[in-house]
């Protein structure tokens, strides 16, 4: 120990200076105390050992010295070397016995003391004292380390830290685990750690597989959804580590994982949205190709441009609504009104009625094009073009075979229908009468009444992805009384 000193109590004779000189030869600093009181005053943390003559202690009240030694911390055991006196042994025997018992770490050197004997004794005492201070330093570091570990564990609330025994029964449930899973330490101690796995993972044997890999490789990844006390799910990114004894046997397991639930959910949402967008792009391009292929060969370039522009615009309006997020739907009334407004319909001749209905993406995409075709036809040949024409669009929901169905009716009136034959069946007719039944598992009917067109579209309201399939049953061209 640097700056340490040996205290020498030798109030009479040459014993003090002689011992100090011997200590100096081996590099040990010594301080000579002229009497017992001075020795007591110099006791402190820098004292490496006490060297005293018996005559310096005998007859003194040793309470303060004994008390200082006994008050030392557990790691401190101050060495005391005593030069025995030539007092009659009978007289001093009991006192010496009590002295050794009170001081504890005592070495008695009988006079005359050889220099080599004193050198060996003081070296051993100093080494012992230095080892005590080293032990103190290690204890301090361990205590600080434990304190740091405690603070880290108690404040790492995003980290679930769990210890288990060789049978994977929980032996320590840290505060972070309680914060992540919801169960308290009292509720989980002694329970199988598999309780935090989801029912599906337990059924598939994942807890056993994870332990088996940890036993074999020392650690196993633990990156998956887990169950919480409240019945929810939490996603952990962590691992299970095998803890071994010195002989290599399994002592237990450490499971540690960070709660990344929100990040995982965001990534899953982004993946769903990306997949949906990719699907939409493919389907939209396919749909555009289908619209172009179904163009009427008899149309002029201007007519073809106008039809393509209108249909693509209708698709674009729907896609804009659907791409607000993954899985969002479209409000039916808004969609119908937007299509009619796009054709500058006179709102006084239009009636739109029905309870609020949100269409799934797939239904929205099909129905948007159907309404667009109806509105376009009405503008060119039907109720919008006719001075007295009117359009009534209404819908209702009803139960059919245990399913919720939507039935939409588009009814035009005030239209003079010319008697024509061999009118070509267009894209709109095919869309309503063939695509609706195929895509939406419903029905689509077009009827040409004496005063205008009647269209009825019905299909079950159920979740559906954005899948505008184009492989509809045969695209035939027949004859029909409508331009649709």
């Amino acid at each position: 120990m640097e700056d340490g000193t040996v205290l020498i109590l030798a109030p009479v004779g040459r014993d003090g200076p002689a011992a100090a000189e011997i200590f100096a030869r081996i590099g040990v600093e010594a301080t000579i105390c002229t009497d017992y009181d001075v020795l007591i005053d110099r006791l402190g943390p820098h004292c490496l050992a006490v060297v005293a003559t018996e005559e310096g202690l005998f007859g003194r009240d040793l309470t303060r010295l004994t008390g200082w030694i006994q008050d030392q911390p557990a790691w401190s055991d101050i060495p005391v070397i005593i030069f025995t006196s030539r007092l009659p042994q009978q007289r001093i025997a009991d006192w010496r016995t009590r002295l050794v018992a009170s001081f504890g770490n005592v070495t008695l050197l009988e006079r005359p003391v050889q220099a080599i004997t004193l050198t060996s004794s003081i070296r051993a005492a100093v080494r012992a004292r230095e080892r005590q201070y080293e032990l103190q330093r290690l204890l301090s570091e361990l205590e600080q380390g434990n304190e740091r570990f405690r603070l880290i564990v108690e404040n790492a609330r995003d980290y679930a830290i769990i210890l288990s025994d060789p049978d994977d029964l929980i032996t320590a449930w840290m505060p972070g685990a309680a914060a992540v899973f919801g169960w308290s330490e009292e509720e989980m101690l002694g329970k199988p750690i598999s309780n935090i796995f989801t029912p599906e993972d337990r059924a598939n044997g994942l807890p056993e597989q994870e332990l088996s890999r940890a036993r074999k490789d020392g650690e196993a990844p633990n990156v998956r959804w887990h169950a919480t006390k409240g019945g929810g799910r939490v996603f952990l990114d962590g691992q299970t580590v095998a803890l071994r004894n010195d002989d290599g046997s399994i002592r237990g397991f450490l499971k540690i994982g960070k709660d990344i639930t929100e990040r995982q959910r965001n990534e899953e949402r982004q993946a769903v949205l990306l997949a949906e967008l990719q699907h939409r792009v493919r389907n939209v391009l396919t749909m555009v190709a289908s619209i172009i292929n179904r163009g009427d060969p008899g149309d002029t370039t201007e007519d073809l441009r106008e039809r393509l522009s209108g249909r693509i615009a209708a698709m674009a309006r729907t896609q804009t609504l659907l791409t607000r997020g993954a899985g969002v739907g479209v409000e039916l009334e808004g969609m119908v009104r937007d299509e009619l407004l796009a054709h500058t319909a006179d709102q006084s001749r239009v009636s739109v009625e029905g309870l609020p209905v949100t269409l799934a993406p797939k239904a929205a995409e099909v129905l948007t094009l159907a309404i667009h075709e109806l509105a376009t036809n009405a503008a060119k040949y039907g109720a919008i073009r006719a001075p007295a024409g009117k359009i009534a669009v209404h819908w209702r929901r009803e139960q059919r075979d245990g399913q919720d169905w939507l039935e939409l009716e588009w009814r035009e009136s005030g239209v003079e229908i010319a008697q024509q034959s061999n009118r070509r069946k267009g894209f709109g007719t095919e869309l309503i009468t063939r695509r609706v039944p195929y895509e939406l598992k419903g029905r689509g009917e077009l009827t040409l009444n004496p005063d205008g067109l009647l269209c009825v579209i019905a299909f079950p309201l159920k979740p559906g992805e954005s899948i505008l399939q184009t492989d509809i049953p045969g695209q035939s061209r027949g004859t029909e009384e409508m331009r649709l």
Side-chain angles (χ1 to χ4, degrees):
M1 174 186 176
E2 295 183 358
D3 301 328
T5 184
V6 174
L7 299 179
I8 301 175
L9 174 62
V12 296
R14 289 281 303 158
D15 288 340
E21 183 178 348
I22 292 172
F23 295 163
R25 292 175 187 170
I26 60 174
V28 175
E29 182 180 339
T31 301
I32 299 174
C33 302
T34 55
D35 59 32
Y36 175 75
D37 292 335
V38 174
L39 171 70
I40 297 300
D41 292 340
R42 291 184 178 275
L43 288 172
H46 297 293
C47 180
L48 296 176
V50 173
V51 178
T53 59
E54 275 189 338
E55 54 269 30
L57 299 174
F58 188 76
R60 296 281 185 175
D61 180 0
L62 301 180
T63 302
R64 294 175 61 192
L65 178 57
T66 303
W68 184 85
I69 291 175
Q70 293 179 348
D71 289 341
Q72 292 295 294
W75 58 267
S76 178
D77 188 17
I78 186 76
V80 178
I81 299 174
I82 298 177
F83 297 153
T84 58
S85 67
R86 296 184 179 84
L87 296 173
Q89 293 298 317
Q90 189 66 33
R91 177 183 175 189
I92 201 172
D94 292 341
W95 175 83
R96 186 178 291 165
T97 300
R98 293 194 300 272
L99 188 70
V100 171
S102 299
F103 290 175
N105 186 6
V106 175
T107 300
L108 298 175
L109 297 179
E110 185 177 356
R111 288 169 167 147
V113 180
Q114 298 294 323
I116 187 171
T117 301
L118 181 57
T119 300
S120 299
S121 297
I122 199 63
R123 278 177 170 165
V126 170
R127 283 198 299 272
R129 189 60 172 164
E130 289 174 342
R131 285 196 293 272
Q132 293 173 24
Y133 279 109
E134 178 66 15
L135 175 60
Q136 179 207 24
R137 185 181 64 78
L138 293 175
L139 289 174
S140 177
E141 291 179 354
L142 181 61
E143 183 177 355
Q144 293 176 5
N146 288 338
E147 178 64 11
R148 286 196 294 270
F149 177 74
R150 184 186 66 79
L151 290 174
I152 291 172
V153 169
E154 290 185 355
N155 290 282
R157 297 307 177 97
D158 288 342
Y159 285 87
I161 303 174
I162 309 167
L163 293 175
S164 59
D165 65 10
D167 295 326
D168 211 26
L169 300 178
I170 296 173
T171 58
W173 183 260
M174 303 303 179
V180 170
F181 294 108
W183 287 290
S184 66
E185 183 178 17
E186 292 74 17
E187 292 175 307
M188 295 304 287
L189 288 181
K191 301 286 182 61
I193 206 167
S194 59
N195 284 349
I196 66 173
F197 283 73
T198 63
E200 310 92 85
D201 287 347
R202 288 201 298 271
N204 292 326
L206 286 185
E208 294 78 11
Q209 295 174 23
E210 187 174 298
L211 281 188
S212 176
R213 180 169 178 179
R215 286 192 180 96
K216 178 183 177 183
D217 300 336
E219 61 184 31
N222 179 36
V223 185
R224 60 175 60 88
W225 288 100
H226 292 73
T228 67
K229 180 180 179 181
R233 300 290 175 97
V234 60
F235 196 92
L236 293 189
D237 183 355
Q239 61 181 352
T240 295
V241 180
L243 306 176
R244 297 184 182 278
N245 295 308
D246 293 339
D247 62 359
S249 60
I250 294 293
R251 182 178 182 180
F253 297 93
L254 165 66
K255 182 183 287 292
I256 180 170
K258 180 174 174 54
D259 179 2
I260 58 168
T261 301
E262 285 305 312
R263 189 177 78 187
Q264 180 66 19
R265 285 177 176 158
N266 287 335
E267 290 177 354
E268 290 180 356
R269 281 194 290 267
Q270 290 174 0
V272 170
L273 181 60
L274 178 60
E276 185 167 331
L277 287 175
Q278 291 174 336
H279 206 73
R280 287 184 194 283
V281 170
R282 288 196 300 269
N283 289 330
V284 166
L285 292 177
T286 304
M287 193 65 184
V288 170
S290 175
I291 292 173
I292 295 174
N293 290 334
R294 288 296 297 124
D296 190 335
D299 283 347
T300 64
T301 301
E302 183 178 355
D303 288 339
L304 178 61
R305 183 187 303 115
E306 183 181 353
R307 287 182 179 278
L308 288 178
S309 177
R311 289 165 180 167
I312 293 173
M315 292 176 59
R317 286 193 292 273
T318 303
Q319 295 302 321
T320 299
L321 296 174
L322 294 176
T323 52
R324 292 172 299 173
V328 299
V330 175
E331 291 298 325
L332 175 58
E333 181 176 350
M335 184 263 286
V336 172
R337 291 189 182 279
D338 287 347
E339 285 301 325
L340 289 171
L341 183 63
H343 290 82
T344 61
D346 181 353
Q347 297 298 303
S348 65
R349 294 193 288 145
V350 172
S351 171
V352 178
E353 295 180 354
L355 294 175
V357 173
T358 300
L359 298 173
K362 182 176 181 178
E365 289 172 328
V366 175
L367 199 58
T368 294
L369 283 176
I371 297 298
H372 171 76
E373 293 302 314
L374 289 169
T376 300
N377 186 75
K380 286 183 174 290
Y381 313 105
I384 296 176
R385 184 185 183 193
K390 293 184 178 179
I391 299 176
V393 183
H394 66 267
W395 57 86
R396 64 176 181 272
R397 301 172 70 152
E398 59 184 16
Q399 288 290 312
R400 297 183 185 178
D401 300 327
Q403 279 193 312
D404 193 15
W405 277 63
L406 173 71
E407 181 170 301
L408 180 143
E409 180 182 284
W410 174 290
R411 181 184 293 275
E412 298 182 20
S413 61
V415 181
E416 293 184 6
I417 304 299
Q419 295 298 321
Q420 299 181 37
S421 61
N422 298 326
R423 299 198 65 170
R424 302 176 69 93
K425 182 174 69 174
F427 174 82
T429 300
E430 187 171 293
L431 175 73
I432 293 171
T433 60
R434 301 178 68 85
R435 187 176 296 278
V436 169
Y438 179 76
E439 297 289 349
L440 304 182
K441 312 302 180 188
R443 64 184 178 90
E445 298 173 353
L446 285 170
T447 305
L448 196 59
N449 294 323
D451 64 341
L453 178 70
L454 171 63
C455 173
V456 177
I457 298 175
F459 56 90
L461 288 171
K462 59 183 180 180
E465 297 178 355
S466 170
I467 306 175
L468 277 175
Q469 302 286 353
T470 57
D471 52 341
I472 57 176
Q475 299 179 348
S476 62
R477 293 173 183 268
T479 60
E480 198 159 310
E481 292 293 336
M482 292 296 295
R483 181 65 174 179
L484 280 169

